[in-house]
Amino acid sequence: MDVKTLREDFPILSQKVHGKPLVYLDNAATTQKPQTVIDTLVRYYSEINSNIHRGVHLLSEKATAEYESSRHIVKDFLGAAHDREIIFTRGTTESINLVAATWGRTHLKSGDEVLITSLEHHSNIVPWQMLCQEKGAILKVAPITDAGDVVLDEFKKLLNPKTKIVALVHVSNALGTINPVKEMVGAAHDVGAVVLVDGAQAVAHLDVNVQALNCDFYAFSAHKLYGPTGIGVLYGKEKLLNSMPPYQGGGDMIREVSFQKSTYNDLPYKFEAGTPDISGVIGLAAAIRYFKQWDHHELFAYEQEIVSYATERLKQCPGVRLIGTSATKVSVVSFVMEDVHPHDIGTILDHEGLQSARVIIVRCL
Amino acid sequence: MSENLKDLYQEVILDHNKNPRNFRKLEDSNRHSVGFNPLCGDKLDLYLKMDGDKIESVGFLGSGCAISKSSASVMTTVVKGKTKKEAEELLDIFSDMVTGKKQMNDQLVEDFGSLAAFSGVSEFPARVKCASLAWHTLKAALEGQNQESVCTEKED
Ligand SMILES: Cc1ncc(COP(=O)(O)O)c(C=O)c1O
């Protein structure tokens, strides 16, 4: 793996910012796109653009075939059992909202509990807060240590027969912590809860296998995996997805419509109302293909090498305090600097050509 | 550091950031408003003691980046003793300056004193809100929106 040639796959990285070569460090917010993903989007619109699942003409057949083969690529990527367990959404946020609005609304009642952790992104907090408010249920939050690890004993103590759903992040966007998801899923299942895993930050840094994790739902966004914005995935176990009511009504999600009653389509279409982001789905598949061509062992080892380097160097800066020092973490480095506000650091780094993360930490602390 | 950055972080700004003036709650204030910039977490409490139409004294508390804190500090030093109308005129000039609508000239620098230090902000569109927060909060306080929270942003 040659980093210099790898960088050349990303056209945006060849530009200069404020006269300096661009160093892009904000991948946790969104990743840049390799040329092959950009080309795929252009090719889709210049060669096969049409609507899917209904046309009888050649273009529609081609677009449908590519859309469905993309679903298969995602299924393999997540290690799911069936293509129909892969539902395309607008992103992680929509995937979580879908589960809260369908599974959550049908299964939660007053006095039930939803368990999350202190590591969650807003997208994995607010939908549950809204659901709990609507149902008179209670949101419980498992604490973390100073290093940024979930306190597993506390997490397990919070689980009880009233816990209906556990929603937890696979990898923290702010601290980089990798949650021991498999163990947490096991504990949640022991009390009969279902588990949703927010994989937004995990898919680009770990090899994910939803069957090995045994989670019930898994959500991620294409744009954090070198794919386009506006497209994401919800994986769900077939049995659960079948038991859930549809999320939105409209085209593609129905089998038969009359003014009296409509019958719903099978999985996964039941959850894909309206014309989907066809180019986005095909672009996501291109991103996965791009990502998979690398030796992940080597890739992740390289990431660990630069995160250790950055950590060591930052430790030497006077006044810098690192936030998130878990022994199991991916390549996110967060820090605060004595007397210097993150916004000022951001502006100064930007002028040195470094596109660093925004002020996520101030918001979370 | 680039020239732009030097213009942004002028001595005046760094000094007010380190030693903010009027950094206290006014015990005898009769106006109070709260400014909030959710984008960066900047938050500021502004206290005014009005004598009729005149700002008799002013104080603030809060946390934020160097730009927002120093802007609040400099603002308190210049609006003290001014009438509501005079303060609002300053606000308009300040807004024009930080958004780059008005070019600084020698006369303005002279009239404007330490406020002119914020002219460099116009080169940093992402920071205009930091510089303006205190002034929006002042406006709310002057208009008597006591305790109201002024927000530069809808929460994203
Ligand atoms: C851990 C985590 N969850 C959820 C999200 C939300 O993703 P999206 O905005 O793509 O829906 C993010 C994005 O920052 C994230 O980092």
Side-chain angles (χ1 to χ4, degrees):
Chain A
M1 191 185 82
D2 174 22
V3 177
K4 195 164 160 289
T5 47
L6 198 150
R7 268 182 72 94
E8 283 166 6
D9 290 342
F10 294 79
I12 207 168
L13 297 180
S14 62
Q15 71 183 294
K16 290 203 162 145
V17 170
H18 304 300
K20 307 242 168 65
L22 169 62
V23 179
Y24 185 80
L25 298 180
D26 207 7
N27 292 286
T30 197
T31 55
Q32 296 304 344
K33 320 305 170 200
Q35 189 67 50
T36 165
V37 168
I38 300 167
D39 289 346
T40 300
L41 298 178
V42 171
R43 186 185 55 83
Y44 170 76
Y45 280 118
S46 34
E47 292 176 18
I48 61 170
N49 173 56
S50 56
N51 213 327
I52 53 169
H53 293 148
R54 52 190 102 161
V56 287
H57 53 81
L58 181 69
L59 289 186
S60 174
E61 278 166 15
K62 277 190 179 171
T64 306
E66 280 218 32
Y67 183 84
E68 290 306 328
S69 70
S70 300
R71 194 189 306 277
H72 186 70
I73 288 171
V74 174
K75 172 242 160 196
D76 282 347
F77 178 66
L78 288 182
H82 311 285
D83 288 1
R84 55 185 176 277
E85 295 179 321
I86 303 299
I87 290 154
F88 291 117
T89 64
R90 279 198 302 123
T92 309
T93 304
E94 191 176 53
S95 298
I96 298 169
N97 276 279
L98 189 160
V99 176
T102 59
W103 195 93
R105 281 222 181 105
T106 36
H107 288 83
L108 244 75
K109 47 185 198 316
S110 174
D112 282 344
E113 293 176 9
V114 173
L115 178 58
I116 62 173
T117 79
S118 297
L119 286 176
E120 301 315 313
H121 184 275
H122 292 177
S123 296
N124 204 22
I125 302 173
V126 185
W128 306 114
Q129 264 171 350
M130 290 163 67
L131 176 67
C132 287
Q133 208 164 22
E134 181 185 319
K135 292 289 175 182
I138 303 151
L139 187 66
K140 299 273 180 173
V141 187
I144 55 173
T145 63
D146 286 346
D149 292 304
V150 172
V151 186
L152 275 181
D153 281 351
E154 295 295 325
F155 173 80
K156 287 178 185 167
K157 265 192 228 154
L158 285 167
L159 287 166
N160 69 77
K162 282 200 216 129
T163 316
K164 289 287 148 17
I165 187 154
V166 177
L168 51 98
V169 75
H170 197 170
V171 168
S172 153
N173 57 303
L175 307 182
T177 314
I178 305 170
N179 264 330
V181 168
K182 199 171 167 180
E183 187 181 345
M184 294 166 92
V185 170
H189 283 170
D190 285 346
V191 297
V194 303
V195 184
L196 174 140
V197 179
D198 169 356
Q201 299 293 348
V203 285
H205 302 282
L206 305 172
D207 285 324
V208 174
N209 184 304
V210 289
Q211 292 193 80
L213 294 174
N214 198 22
C215 56
D216 302 289
F217 300 103
Y218 197 94
F220 77 91
S221 304
H223 72 96
K224 294 186 198 280
L225 184 71
Y226 316 108
T229 53
I231 189 75
V233 169
L234 173 69
Y235 155 82
K237 283 184 182 161
E238 182 177 11
K239 218 172 116 212
L240 281 166
L241 291 176
N242 269 328
S243 76
M244 284 152 49
Y247 179 44
Q248 294 176 329
D252 264 1
M253 56 75 72
I254 25 80
R255 175 167 295 130
E256 252 181 302
V257 181
S258 76
F259 286 113
Q260 281 71 43
K261 190 179 184 321
S262 302
T263 49
Y264 304 130
N265 207 338
D266 294 332
L267 289 178
Y269 312 109
K270 182 169 110 180
F271 293 105
E272 290 180 2
T275 301
D277 182 354
I278 307 166
S279 67
V281 165
I282 295 171
L284 164 60
I288 292 175
R289 247 184 266 118
Y290 174 80
F291 181 55
K292 277 180 116 172
Q293 73 178 309
W294 304 105
D295 174 348
H296 283 191
H297 193 69
E298 202 183 348
L299 198 64
F300 299 154
Y302 178 70
E303 281 185 0
Q304 286 299 328
E305 191 183 311
I306 41 183
V307 81
S308 320
Y309 176 77
T311 306
E312 282 316 307
R313 294 301 298 263
L314 278 167
K315 273 187 186 160
Q316 291 161 17
C317 299
V320 165
R321 186 162 61 88
L322 291 163
I323 313 273
T325 49
S326 169
T328 48
K329 65 176 278 186
V330 300
S331 44
V332 174
V333 184
S334 293
F335 63 92
V336 286
M337 211 166 158
E338 217 171 273
D339 295 338
V340 188
H341 191 278
H343 215 157
D344 296 313
I345 298 176
T347 294
I348 292 166
L349 293 182
D350 176 52
H351 271 250
E352 297 299 319
L354 267 77
Q355 310 288 295
S356 61
R358 298 138 312 148
V359 285
I360 237 166
I361 289 307
V362 227
R363 296 208 211 171
C364 299
L365 288 181
Chain B
M1 235 197 225
S2 71
E3 283 307 312
N4 275 353
L5 272 183
K6 278 189 206 143
D7 284 346
L8 180 65
Y9 292 106
Q10 293 188 23
E11 271 311 315
V12 180
I13 292 182
L14 295 177
D15 172 45
H16 277 263
N17 178 48
K18 251 208 163 102
N19 309 297
R21 321 295 199 269
N22 304 307
F23 194 64
R24 62 174 185 276
K25 180 177 177 181
L26 289 189
E27 289 307 335
D28 56 349
S29 71
N30 49 19
R31 297 283 170 86
H32 169 221
S33 74
V34 183
F36 185 46
N37 178 354
L39 214 60
C40 30
D42 293 351
K43 198 167 180 188
L44 120 102
D45 277 276
L46 186 73
Y47 303 91
L48 299 180
K49 181 161 189 277
M50 300 296 291
D51 179 10
D53 217 24
K54 202 172 124 201
I55 303 173
E56 197 178 290
S57 51
V58 45
F60 81 104
L61 285 175
S63 60
C65 64
I67 306 298
S68 79
K69 199 165 174 187
S70 59
S71 174
S73 171
V74 171
M75 181 188 82
T76 61
T77 62
V78 300
V79 300
K80 194 169 164 182
K82 298 271 193 302
T83 63
K84 176 170 185 272
K85 186 155 173 288
E86 287 167 337
E88 282 171 352
E89 277 166 13
L90 281 174
L91 185 156
D92 288 340
I93 304 176
F94 186 84
S95 292
D96 285 350
M97 176 178 74
V98 293
T99 51
K101 281 195 200 118
K102 199 177 232 120
Q103 287 299 315
M104 275 286 121
N105 58 38
D106 291 349
Q107 187 58 47
L108 265 178
V109 170
E110 198 166 302
D111 295 349
F112 224 42
S114 44
L115 282 181
F118 292 91
S119 61
V121 172
S122 65
E123 295 294 322
F124 295 81
R127 307 305 298 277
V128 171
K129 281 178 184 146
C130 309
S132 316
L133 178 66
W135 289 88
H136 289 304
T137 313
L138 173 70
K139 191 165 193 292
L142 286 172
E143 284 167 2
Q145 298 174 6
N146 282 1
Q147 310 290 347
E148 281 291 314
S149 184
V150 180
C151 199
T152 58
E153 203 73 28
K154 291 202 180 78
E155 182 69 275
D156 63 354

